[in-house]
Amino acid sequence: GNARWRLPSVGVSGLYFDDEGKIYVNTTTASPEKVKYSKQIDVTDRTDDIVIKLDARTGKEIWRHSMGGTIAHLSGKYIYTLSYVRPLDDGEELSPEMVAMGVEIKPYFRIRRINPKNGRVMWDYYQPRGPLDVKIHENTFQVVLKKEVQVLRFLSF
């Protein structure tokens, strides 16, 4: 019942397990110190999404990368990260606070295939439109956009 190892991390949003006893952790670059004093926020401090690969037996870190997205699918040799911004609904507007700050986030989606051995990006696919939904099965993606559905199939090597 005792813990074998621990991974201190802030922002864990997913765990994926492969067939070789490895764990892939979707988390952030934020540290526990960054959230210690919740009323003291440094707006210039940037926090990014990262993926960490660990040995499940020992907790030893194998690699860590900032990929501009988090793992959305892991199955055998297929590891994909997905990042996207959904389009605004009809009649939906940005909040007045966002407009006042001059922040305009344009819809997009990006898929990256990741090499499980070293965490490097094998290929990158980008579209300047945001999806409403994305489903993944091995190397096939079903992407629902506002006015169409796309089925994307990527060659495997």
Side-chain angles (χ1 to χ4, degrees), residues 13-29:
S13 61
L15 298 173
Y16 292 84
F17 303 86
D18 69 13
D19 297 335
E20 298 174 5
K22 306 299 184 260
I23 302 173
Y24 296 81
V25 182
N26 287 335
T27 188
T28 69
T29 56

Side-chain angles (χ1 to χ4, degrees), residues 21 44 54 60 69 98 115 121 128 135 146 153:
T44 63
L54 304 169
K60 181 181 177 212
M98 297 292 274
N115 184 330
V121 175
K135 300 280 189 247
K146 268 191 168 183
R153 184 164 206 163

Side-chain angles (χ1 to χ4, degrees), residues 26-52:
N26 287 335
T27 188
T28 69
T29 56
S31 66
E33 289 75 35
K34 287 185 180 182
V35 295
K36 193 178 216 179
Y37 305 104
S38 62
K39 305 252 188 240
Q40 299 174 2
I41 299 171
D42 182 355
V43 294
T44 63
D45 193 20
R46 184 178 161 146
T47 299
D48 293 314
D49 291 328
I50 60 170
V51 175
I52 304 172

Side-chain angles (χ1 to χ4, degrees), residues 39-128:
K39 305 252 188 240
Q40 299 174 2
I41 299 171
D42 182 355
V43 294
T44 63
D45 193 20
R46 184 178 161 146
T47 299
D48 293 314
D49 291 328
I50 60 170
V51 175
I52 304 172
K53 182 178 181 180
L54 304 169
D55 182 306
R57 192 175 50 78
T58 65
K60 181 181 177 212
E61 186 176 304
I62 298 168
W63 52 254
R64 147 189 315 238
H65 285 291
S66 176
M67 300 177 192
T70 56
I71 291 180
H73 182 77
L74 185 147
S75 175
K77 63 183 179 179
Y78 299 106
I79 300 178
Y80 298 107
T81 63
L82 180 65
S83 61
Y84 64 91
V85 172
R86 293 175 52 106
L88 294 174
D89 289 332
D90 293 337
E92 184 180 9
E93 296 179 9
L94 289 175
S95 72
E97 295 85 11
M98 297 292 274
V99 173
M101 290 189 305
V103 177
E104 182 181 352
I105 302 171
K106 296 193 182 292
Y108 76 94
F109 79 96
R110 166 170 268 133
I111 302 166
R112 290 182 170 143
R113 182 164 177 206
I114 306 305
N115 184 330
K117 291 182 182 13
N118 58 23
R120 304 271 187 232
V121 175
M122 297 172 74
W123 54 254
D124 186 324
Y125 177 81
Y126 175 84
Q127 256 194 60

